[in-house]
Amino acid sequence: MKFDIVTIFPKIFDSYFKESIIKRAQEKRLIKIEIHNLRDFTADKHKKVDDKPYGGGPGMVLKIEPIYKAVSSIKYQASRKKAKTRVILFSTRGKKLDSKIAKRLSKYNQLILICGRYEGVDERVAKHIADEEISIGDYVLSGGELPAMVLTEAVSRYIPGVLGKYESLEEIKGSFPTYTRPEVFKKWKVPKVLISGHHKKIAKWRNK
Ligand code: SAH
C-alpha cells in the first residue's frame, strides 16, 4: 500500500516514519510512503501556496491550483499501475477517524493525503478534489501533518504482516492492562493473578 502525503512541511515526517513498526513495514515493502512538497507544484517564482481569504478575515488559505496539480500528478502515476486510490483532505469538519474508517481505508492501494495549514484550504479542494474529509478529533491543530502521521499508522496496522505476532494478537483480543517488573514498587503491587502462572485465569482476567 502506498501513502502519498502532500504538505508544505515535508521535513516534519523525517523522523517519525523512520522508526519502529512503520520503518519495518517500509523495509518489508508492505507500505511505501512518499512525501510531496506542495511548493514543487507551483508555477510562480515565489512558489506561492497560500493567499488571502475572500470575504476578508485573518490568516491565509492554501490555494487550489498547486493541490490540484499535486494530486493529478500522483493520480496519473497511480493510474498507470491501476492502483485504487482515495484522496483524503484533513479538516476539522471531517468525519472523525476511528478504527472502522482506518480498516476501510486499508483496502485501497493508495491513499493521497492532503495536509492543510494556516486558516485552512480553499473549500473547492474538499468539494472537487478530495473523496473525503477526515478529522482526528475535536480540537484544532496547526496543520494536517500530525493527522497524516496518525492516519498512516492507524491504517498500516490493518495491513497484513505489518504487525508482529504479539501485536496482532493484541489487536484481535483488544487491549488490557499490562505490568512488568518490579512486582512491588513502593506499595503498588502487580495483580496476584498475573504471577500465578495460571494461564486460564490470566486469560479470564485480561478479558474482563
Ligand atoms: N480555521 C480552520 C482550522 C485550520 S487548521 C477551522 O476552523 O477549521 C489548519 C489545518 O490543519 C486544517 O486545514 C487541517 O488540514 C488541519 N487540522 C487541524 N486540526 C485538525 C484535526 N483535528 N483533524 C484533522 N486535521 C486538522
Side-chain angles (χ1 to χ4, degrees):
M1 177 161 192
K2 185 159 184 247
F3 297 86
D4 289 276
I5 303 176
V6 179
T7 172
I8 58 168
F9 294 117
K11 278 191 289 191
I12 286 180
F13 299 92
D14 280 356
S15 144
Y16 193 78
F17 286 150
K18 287 191 179 132
E19 304 285 352
S20 186
I21 290 174
I22 294 291
K23 174 190 174 186
R24 240 177 20 227
Q26 291 171 94
E27 285 170 354
K28 287 204 249 167
R29 293 178 179 274
L30 295 168
I31 64 167
K32 190 172 180 188
I33 302 171
E34 197 174 336
I35 312 294
H36 306 266
N37 189 343
L38 188 60
R39 289 189 201 281
D40 294 342
F41 297 90
T42 50
D44 63 303
K45 200 169 73 192
H46 302 288
K47 297 187 182 291
K48 197 171 163 62
V49 289
D50 58 336
D51 210 334
K52 285 178 284 193
Y54 276 116
M60 299 295 266
V61 175
L62 284 187
K63 289 159 66 65
I64 188 170
E65 300 104 307
I67 294 177
Y68 180 83
K69 272 193 192 161
V71 172
S72 303
S73 117
I74 297 164
K75 271 189 158 176
Y76 174 69
Q77 298 294 335
S79 71
R80 298 189 352 161
K81 292 180 196 150
K82 298 204 164 51
K84 201 172 146 209
T85 62
R86 188 86 173 156
V87 181
I88 291 162
L89 172 68
F90 292 107
S91 160
T92 50
R93 293 182 298 280
K95 274 173 284 176
K96 214 180 295 167
L97 181 65
D98 60 14
S99 56
K100 235 173 151 178
I101 295 181
K103 201 170 184 173
R104 167 170 66 79
L105 294 176
S106 74
K107 307 282 189 277
Y108 289 89
N109 305 122
Q110 197 161 345
L111 296 182
I112 302 166
L113 311 178
I114 306 168
C115 304
R117 272 274 157 184
Y118 311 126
E119 285 307 306
V121 180
D122 187 308
E123 187 63 17
R124 287 168 290 189
V125 172
K127 282 220 167 100
H128 306 290
I129 298 176
D131 296 311
E132 62 185 295
E133 290 177 88
I134 286 181
S135 154
I136 63 161
D138 289 334
Y139 38 78
V140 182
L141 300 164
S142 312
E145 286 76 13
L146 284 170
M149 287 194 256
V150 169
L151 186 138
T152 300
E153 179 157 319
V155 171
S156 294
R157 291 173 69 94
Y158 283 107
I159 296 168
V162 166
L163 296 182
K165 244 192 205 147
Y166 176 75
E167 296 139 344
S168 323
L169 205 65
E170 181 196 337
E171 218 80 357
I172 297 162
K173 291 193 170 171
S175 83
F176 48 78
T178 53
Y179 296 85
T180 186
R181 277 186 287 196
E183 207 176 301
V184 183
F185 177 72
K186 296 190 187 286
K187 280 182 182 165
W188 309 318
K189 290 182 193 153
V190 171
K192 271 210 180 80
V193 59
L194 296 181
I195 33 191
S196 66
H198 199 301
H199 296 300
K200 266 196 186 144
K201 275 190 186 161
I202 292 172
K204 210 171 145 194
W205 181 88
R206 284 179 170 167
N207 272 333
K208 210 163 77 184

